């Protein structure tokens, strides 16, 4: 049996696949930090070389930012575009890591074996599940079951500034029948999902300036405007008492959840108490008239991701600071227009400024939500293939995170995307001590082998 | 003439006095930062040695924190206790300094010659004005005009944790007729002041914890409580629309300004537009029914001195943070009780916490306001002496800053304090590029020589 030999090869080669993943994880490819530009380039080189080793015509491709990696392989079968990203999140606060984030290791934990380190789950480990499935197929059959374009980005964690122009300039090279994206999670332990609804993302950084320089609060306190107070008032005003976002026009284009989808989601038996309890919480904090699953999958949100101003070191300093700033992100759904919301948000902030204060805005990405056309038979083939690998049948699900590339693939390349991934809620992506279950990695590779076989059949 | 010879000596010795001050400024005695503990000890040693060089019996005196310096000199005349502090503020943000903050230099500026560097004005330069006056007197007369106890603290910028127990344990050694404190400013260019009203200070650091760890805002955003939002709501609620502080009971014990004082302050011709314009502001930001001079001298305030939470580095990170914290200070007047206000503030914060959030409090000092008994003839003698040195007559003034030691001298040692200093509003104390005018230093030394002569007469 064609597929069985490939699966057996995957099982036998797992130790080497883990070694390869950890070699890639040792490269600290933090895309948001200019000090790590050379590391991003090194990760792109590593991937291109690895793809060439399994027969792809693969190379790093320069951009104004970090390089893309593109590689073509296979001579017959459906045309598949596979996407992952090799850049990783920053690692602060470093003191909360139990080991060097870029010195990965396999650890035994009460919940099973995990690969510990930055990028294990987001997204180096996920990306390599597909690469390893291709490697095993090539080793067994000497060829690939499809015409595959590998496409790896190095700026996903920093708003993908080069992605849209690159897609436009290289549309012919990237043409395919369907896209596969591996940057999402399982629906639940033992239950894989294919994401068919993705929230969009709007990132805004605002800096409020009051006095021209830091002042002594004893000398000026009471008389001079404090930009932290101004910023706090703005942030406090972004939600009303019912948890709704107050930016004017924010809910324009937010669809009601279709009855049918609502019913299906109720049938999923989502464990809201467990989801929150995992991170020490008990009460859903979003809109009061929505379920937790709606809050994270189908409703738009506004979050403050960071805030700073004044003296934040040890001890106390009675400074009245000149500046205070915050990083604020909006998750978008349906037809919400990120650029309209950006303008409305900025107008709202300007309208709340007292005399003597000014504001600077810095935008960090603006992508709309995406809804996949699940009528394509590839979706049902992939769902069946996944269901054969995992204990429970696969589900079509929503996703709270934003994978802007899926929207760009649709708009620029005309491609639908199947978003399939094997991360877990407790992977601590974007947090200290990120991990990826060895089981996610292993069954993820096997899942892709099954999906490739199903799509090629 | 006794005094004239001393003043001439001061003028002649100014270059050496500046060298000595800069030697002291080269020691980075940042008291809030444990990494600088040895530097604080070195500054104390330097001062004790310098005092011994002019005949004081002076030594560093250990405390649980940084050492005090105490020295006794003189055999006849009034008993004076002189106080200054040798510790300095942290220097961040370092990139805004035009030179190494601990490599001081004399610079020519459009407004005259200045001593540039951390501690030049707050408080090493001010402290040394008194030491240099004593040095000149000793050089001319071979003795001092009074029985002087020098008392230098090394924890003023970190809430003076060791001060009260030290005063209690060493009350006999510190006994005097009156205290002199040099840690304040001129009232205006050419117009010295003796501060007779001081605001108290209450420092509070609060940390809000929501989720047990940092989360991915795509995965949890909307459902999990964000501690930055909670903190922003608390800070926004600390003032009402009219700029009044909302902590329950906050204004208990705040006196009305006496008619007579209000009239005197109106007569000072305070340039509110210039005071604010100096730092790029135009509108007083405090209580709407108060004058700017009341805001900074006689009214209590609440300021946020620092805030932090989530990702604050370059770029963007869609984290939903576990914790957010702020440093908040209250300036107190009249009979406001710092401990009662602390409890009321903490109860207010606890009352605003949503489910799943907790708060930790860390107190940083709690000192009441102080009002000097200006009936003591020493005050009038000092005012006359100051008026002879400066272009304009000296004034009895208020002070927005908090000099808790004056309250402790009164409560523990039974001493009134004369707070006389030569700093200027543009000295940038607690800010980058701190400076002290060479003229402030020079005329400051001469001022103390005149005051010593007047008090000894």
């Amino acid at each position: 049996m064609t597929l069985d030999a490939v699966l057996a090869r995957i099982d036998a080669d797992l130790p080497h696949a883990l070694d390869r993943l950890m070699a890639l994880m040792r490269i600290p490819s933090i895309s948001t930090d200019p000090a790590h530009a050379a590391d991003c380039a090194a990760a792109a080189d590593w991937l291109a070389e690895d793809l060439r080793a399994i027969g792809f015509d693969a190379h790093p491709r320069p951009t104004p930012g970090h390089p893309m990696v593109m590689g073509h392989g296979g001579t017959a079968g459906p045309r598949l575009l596979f996407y992952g990203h090799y850049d990783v999140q920053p690692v602060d606060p470093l003191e909360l890591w139990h080991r060097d984030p870029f010195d990965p290791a396999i650890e035994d934990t009460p919940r099973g074996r995990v690969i510990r380190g930055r990028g294990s789950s987001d997204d180096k480990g996920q990306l390599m599940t597909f690469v390893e499935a291709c490697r095993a197929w090539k080793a067994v059959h000497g060829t690939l079951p499809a015409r595959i374009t590998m496409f790896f980005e190095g700026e996903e964690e920093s708003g993908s500034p080069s992605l849209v122009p690159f897609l436009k300039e290289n549309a012919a090279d990237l043409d395919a029948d369907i896209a596969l994206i591996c940057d999402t999670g399982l629906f639940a332990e033992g239950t894989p999902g294919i994401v068919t609804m993705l929230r969009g993302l709007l990132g805004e950084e605002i800096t409020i300036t009051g006095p021209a320089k830091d002042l002594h609060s004893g000398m000026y306190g009471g008389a001079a405007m404090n930009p932290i107070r101004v910023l706090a008032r703005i942030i406090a005003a972004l939600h009303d008492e019912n948890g709704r976002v107050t930016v004017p026009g924010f809910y324009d284009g937010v669809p009601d959840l279709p009855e049918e989808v609502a019913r299906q989601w109720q049938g999923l038996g989502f464990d809201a108490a467990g989801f929150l309890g995992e991170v020490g919480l008990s009460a859903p904090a979003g809109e009061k008239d929505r379920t937790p699953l709606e809050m994270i999958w189908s409703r738009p949100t506004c979050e403050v991701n960071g805030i700073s101003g004044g003296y934040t070191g040890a001890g106390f300093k009675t400074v009245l600071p000149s500046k205070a700033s915050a990083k604020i992100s909006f998750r978008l759904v349906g037809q919400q227009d990120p650029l309209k919301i950006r303008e409305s948000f900025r107008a709202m902030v300007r309208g709340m400024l007292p005399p003597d204060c000014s504001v600077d805005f810095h935008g960090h990405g603006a992508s709309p939500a995406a809804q996949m056309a699940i009528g394509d038979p590839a979706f049902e083939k992939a769902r069946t293939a996944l269901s054969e690998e995992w204990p429970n049948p696969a589900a079509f699900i929503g996703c709270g995170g934003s994978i802007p590339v899926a929207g760009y693939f649709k708009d620029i390349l005309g491609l639908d995307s199947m978003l399939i991934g094997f991360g877990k809620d407790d992977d601590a992506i974007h947090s200290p001590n990120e991990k990826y279950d060895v089981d996610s990695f292993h069954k993820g590779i096997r899942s892709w082998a099954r999906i490739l076989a199903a799509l090629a059949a």
Side-chain angles (χ1 to χ4, degrees), chain A:
Chain A
M1 286 267 296
T2 295
L3 178 60
D4 283 353
V6 174
L7 297 176
R9 169 77 191 182
I10 288 168
D11 297 348
D13 198 41
L14 181 63
H16 298 117
L18 287 167
D19 286 345
R20 285 185 288 267
L21 170 57
M22 289 193 286
L24 177 58
M25 288 171 61
R26 278 186 202 101
I27 306 171
S29 45
I30 302 171
S31 60
T32 53
D33 186 344
H36 286 281
D39 296 315
C40 291
D45 289 342
W46 188 97
L47 281 165
E49 190 175 328
D50 192 53
L51 290 177
R52 289 194 297 271
I54 53 175
F56 281 80
D57 176 22
H59 301 279
R61 301 280 296 265
T63 77
H66 305 302
M68 308 284 180
V69 176
M70 202 193 299
H72 295 92
T75 54
R79 298 179 307 149
L80 309 177
L81 173 63
F82 178 82
Y83 168 90
H85 64 89
Y86 66 78
D87 63 320
V88 299
Q89 280 276 317
V91 293
D92 61 283
L94 196 54
E95 67 272 17
L96 296 186
W97 285 80
H98 303 134
R99 60 179 300 119
D100 180 342
F102 296 111
D103 177 24
I106 309 299
E107 293 180 3
D108 281 307
T109 78
R111 295 184 180 187
R113 287 206 306 158
V114 305
I115 309 147
R116 184 82 65 189
R118 177 54 92 222
S120 55
S121 177
D122 183 20
D123 182 50
K124 289 173 174 171
Q126 302 243 64
L127 176 161
M128 289 301 289
T129 57
F130 190 81
V131 175
E132 294 296 343
C134 292
R135 192 191 318 273
W137 199 288
K138 187 79 189 294
V140 169
H141 296 290
T143 182
L144 294 169
R147 288 170 288 172
I148 296 171
T149 300
M150 296 283 197
F151 178 50
F152 305 146
E153 186 190 6
E155 302 181 329
E156 200 272 347
E157 302 292 7
S158 49
S160 298
S162 307
L163 184 59
V164 168
F166 189 89
L167 291 180
K168 288 180 177 166
E169 284 164 28
N170 297 276
D173 269 359
L174 294 163
D175 195 23
D177 302 318
I178 198 163
L180 307 172
I181 297 175
C182 194
D183 197 17
T184 51
L186 297 172
F187 169 67
E189 180 80 38
T191 308
I194 301 175
V195 174
T196 61
M197 288 173 64
L198 273 168
R199 291 198 287 195
L201 180 65
L202 170 66
E204 286 282 288
E205 185 163 357
I206 69 174
T207 302
I208 308 286
T209 302
K213 61 177 181 179
D214 286 1
L215 304 176
H216 183 222
S217 75
M219 196 179 291
Y220 283 90
M225 182 50 67
N226 185 326
I228 299 178
R229 271 174 59 188
V230 175
L231 184 61
R233 279 184 47 237
I234 290 168
I235 292 171
L238 285 171
H239 294 81
D240 70 12
E241 289 173 1
N242 294 314
R244 280 176 68 90
V245 177
T246 57
V247 174
F250 183 73
Y251 289 93
D252 292 353
V254 176
D256 287 331
L257 195 64
E259 286 282 331
E260 177 199 332
V261 176
R263 255 198 314 277
Q264 194 210 329
W265 285 4
Q266 278 164 16
L268 286 173
F270 176 68
D271 176 14
F275 175 76
L276 289 170
E278 177 78 32
V279 295
L281 300 174
S282 63
E287 294 170 275
K288 288 193 177 160
D289 55 349
R290 303 289 171 174
T291 68
L293 210 53
E294 286 178 277
M295 289 177 193
I296 58 172
W297 280 0
S298 69
R299 297 297 298 175
T301 67
C302 166
E303 289 294 346
V304 187
N305 305 114
I307 190 166
S308 66
Y311 181 68
T312 59
F316 214 88
K317 185 173 164 177
T318 51
V319 66
L320 197 163
S322 169
K323 291 177 190 297
S325 63
K327 297 177 200 275
I328 297 172
S329 62
F330 299 88
R331 301 278 170 178
L332 308 180
V333 302
Q335 307 304 314
Q336 280 182 297
D337 182 335
L339 298 180
K340 274 192 187 164
I341 291 172
R342 169 170 283 160
E343 285 318 304
S344 179
F345 167 74
R346 292 182 178 186
M348 176 178 166
V349 170
R350 287 192 195 97
M352 291 187 70
L353 290 182
D356 288 338
C357 280
S358 61
V359 60
D360 284 308
F361 295 100
H362 184 64
H364 289 275
S367 63
Q371 168 74 50
M372 300 306 144
I374 56 177
D376 186 318
F379 280 82
E380 201 50 48
K381 287 181 186 175
R383 175 146 77 161
T384 304
L386 279 170
S387 300
E388 283 164 6
E389 174 64 25
W390 295 83
N392 307 319
F396 291 143
I397 60 176
C399 174
S402 300
I403 320 276
V405 69
Y408 299 139
F409 282 174
K410 182 76 185 176
D411 294 346
I412 300 168
L413 306 178
L415 294 182
D416 278 306
S417 296
M418 291 203 290
L419 295 117
I420 298 168
F422 314 99
K424 289 178 150 185
D425 289 351
D426 67 352
D427 279 356
I429 66 171
H430 296 207
S431 295
N433 302 309
E434 179 178 350
K435 63 86 176 164
Y436 195 45
D437 286 8
V438 171
D439 203 49
S440 289
F441 186 62
H442 184 190
K443 291 176 85 66
I445 301 170
R446 290 171 55 97
S447 295
W448 285 121
R450 290 181 186 276
I451 292 168
L452 285 172
L455 295 177

